[in-house]
Amino acid sequence: LLLAARAAAVVAYDGAHAGLATSLVTCGDLLVSAGADGAIVARPMPRASAAARASVSRWEAWGMRGARAHAQREPFEIARLGEAVLSLHATEDASGGCAVLTAGTALGSVRAWRLQPTTSAAPVARAARGAREGAPPAELEAVAVQSLHAHTGAVHAIAGEARRGSDGRQLLATAAADGSIALWERNAEHLTLRLQARVAAHRGGARALALAAGFLISAGADGKMALWAIPSLTPMRTVDAHRSAAAVALAVGAVGRSGGAERAGAGRGVALDGALTVFSAAADGELKRWKLHALDGGAVGGDKEGAHARGGATRRGGRGSDAGAAPPELREAAAAHLGARTGALAAHATRAECVLAALADGRVELVCAREAVGALQQLRTVYTYPGHARAWVGALAALGGARYASADD
């Protein structure tokens, strides 16, 4: 497992999992990984002063020293299951600390744990839980809150709101190898999930999900990418995204400058033209950039539809994507072939035209849209991150700022 800042690796963990690492998420100040060995492991992320963040060399020196010496670097095992864990989702509390972790498994189950201050005398890992810089960390433990048989096939992806709403509820979506996607609502008191809707989405299996601007986006083994209304999961648009291979990964463009300007108050990745940037990747290494447009000329899932600015789904009772608005349109904006199977995508922290791609030959590449050639832009690799020696990079996560994490087999 590798943690990178800008263009330098700052922390490397060997032996994070006995086999392929399948998923990475951030949860408060924790970096959580899951693997084919059934383990879910959390590590507090390195923290540095503003002065240390000023240069890559000082980041690197601080990070490697901290990884070996600082008490906060000890891993914390959330769970060890008897089946492979393929997907993770993290829920933060109001202060930005890690509150709930949800996992999807190879046998179709979805499990959840609540993180809370430890009540055990046994030593556990220490993790900063929304604390200010330099404050003493709190000791956490994971308490299982639910285990349900969600699908008849492996749960490849979980997507949802990062935090619970003011009413304590939260929407999550799951995608599975049985071809279905499901929408769940988390109970405010008990943190358990209740099914809201389920649809057959992709022939051969649903592989990836993204929740943004009040819509759910899915991709699957049939090479298609589909847009769904929330909370009914009514189909709104389907495109043949990848004709030669399964679509395996999705990422929604970061809030930043896309095409020269960003629309103030828009949802995640929404530019002045009201378009949302979406990236999709196929098993054969094909990468595409898409623009999601509202046909009525308004912003996709934006302010007038009442979607959350953070890119989450509109809450029940609000004017969300089920409110009868004209269906949006997905338009291909750029394409490229990365030369190796893509394992995961992560949006660039600030630039909606850029994405990070994790590849099966050990590369992690920063790919950005460049000048237009005819109707399409070009996607070009602008940097290749070092650190994985020709190993399958199966998981990738944006940590905020200029930091990213990747994990291999």
Side-chain angles (χ1 to χ4, degrees):
L1 189 150
L2 185 71
L3 180 67
R6 297 178 187 171
V10 295
V11 177
Y13 302 100
D14 291 328
H17 291 277
L20 179 67
T22 56
S23 186
L24 281 172
V25 295
T26 59
C27 190
D29 290 324
L30 298 175
L31 176 63
V32 185
S33 61
D37 58 358
I40 303 173
V41 181
R43 292 172 177 80
M45 290 186 288
R47 303 179 69 165
S49 64
R53 287 193 292 266
S55 70
V56 172
S57 59
R58 292 183 68 180
W59 254 111
E60 186 169 7
W62 175 85
M64 295 306 292
R65 182 172 64 252
R68 294 190 178 99
H70 200 286
Q72 282 186 259
R73 301 301 167 259
E74 294 300 317
F76 168 30
E77 188 169 283
I78 302 295
R80 184 170 290 274
L81 308 181
E83 55 185 311
V85 180
L86 303 182
S87 52
L88 288 172
H89 179 272
T91 302
E92 297 181 349
D93 58 26
S95 64
C98 188
V100 183
L101 284 168
T102 307
T105 75
L107 297 182
S109 66
V110 171
R111 305 192 184 193
W113 296 264
R114 180 180 69 251
L115 271 71
Q116 63 183 29
T118 182
T119 58
S120 170
V124 296
R126 300 172 68 85
R129 185 178 172 86
R132 67 184 184 276
E133 184 76 36
E139 292 184 344
L140 300 177
E141 63 180 358
V143 178
V145 296
Q146 188 177 25
S147 176
L148 59 89
H149 188 67
H151 296 270
T152 59
V155 181
H156 287 298
I158 305 176
E161 298 168 310
R163 296 185 182 181
R164 289 186 288 161
S166 58
D167 58 1
R169 297 180 180 182
Q170 180 189 31
L171 292 176
L172 292 182
T174 54
D178 59 11
S180 69
I181 60 174
L183 188 71
W184 311 82
E185 184 177 75
R186 173 159 279 145
N187 177 275
E189 181 179 0
H190 303 292
L191 303 180
T192 54
L193 297 173
R194 185 178 66 175
L195 183 66
Q196 300 296 299
R198 185 192 301 272
V199 294
H202 295 277
R203 182 174 299 178
R207 300 296 302 273
L209 288 174
L211 187 67
F215 297 104
L216 181 66
I217 307 168
S218 68
D222 54 7
K224 298 182 184 297
M225 188 163 62
L227 191 69
W228 308 87
I230 292 174
S232 67
L233 294 186
T234 301
M236 300 190 72
R237 185 71 63 183
T238 301
V239 296
D240 290 319
H242 301 278
R243 298 179 183 275
S244 59
V248 296
L250 291 171
V252 177
V255 172
R257 303 189 68 83
S258 175
E262 196 75 19
R263 189 174 68 84
R268 180 174 176 82
V270 180
L272 270 176
D273 59 1
L276 181 74
T277 297
V278 180
F279 290 91
S280 66
D284 62 357
E286 185 179 50
L287 176 67
K288 289 188 176 182
R289 183 190 184 210
W290 303 82
K291 285 193 173 184
L292 184 58
H293 295 266
L295 293 185
D296 60 3
V300 175
D303 303 330
K304 72 172 186 174
E305 295 300 333
H308 289 308
R310 68 174 183 270
T314 302
R315 304 221 66 80
R316 186 183 300 275
R319 297 173 58 199
S321 60
D322 270 337
E329 184 174 2
L330 278 166
R331 300 176 185 171
E332 184 179 340
H337 202 286
L338 302 180
R341 181 183 176 92
T342 305
L345 294 177
H348 189 273
T350 59
R351 300 193 64 87
E353 74 273 19
C354 297
V355 69
L356 279 92
L359 305 177
D361 60 4
R363 289 178 290 153
V364 177
E365 296 196 340
L366 175 62
V367 183
C368 296
R370 295 300 191 185
E371 69 277 1
V373 176
L376 297 180
Q377 291 180 309
Q378 289 182 309
L379 283 174
R380 292 184 178 179
T381 298
V382 299
Y383 189 81
T384 300
Y385 288 82
H388 297 281
R390 300 193 65 80
W392 178 290
V393 185
L396 187 62
L399 311 184
R403 296 191 299 172
Y404 306 91
S406 55
D408 61 34
D409 58 359

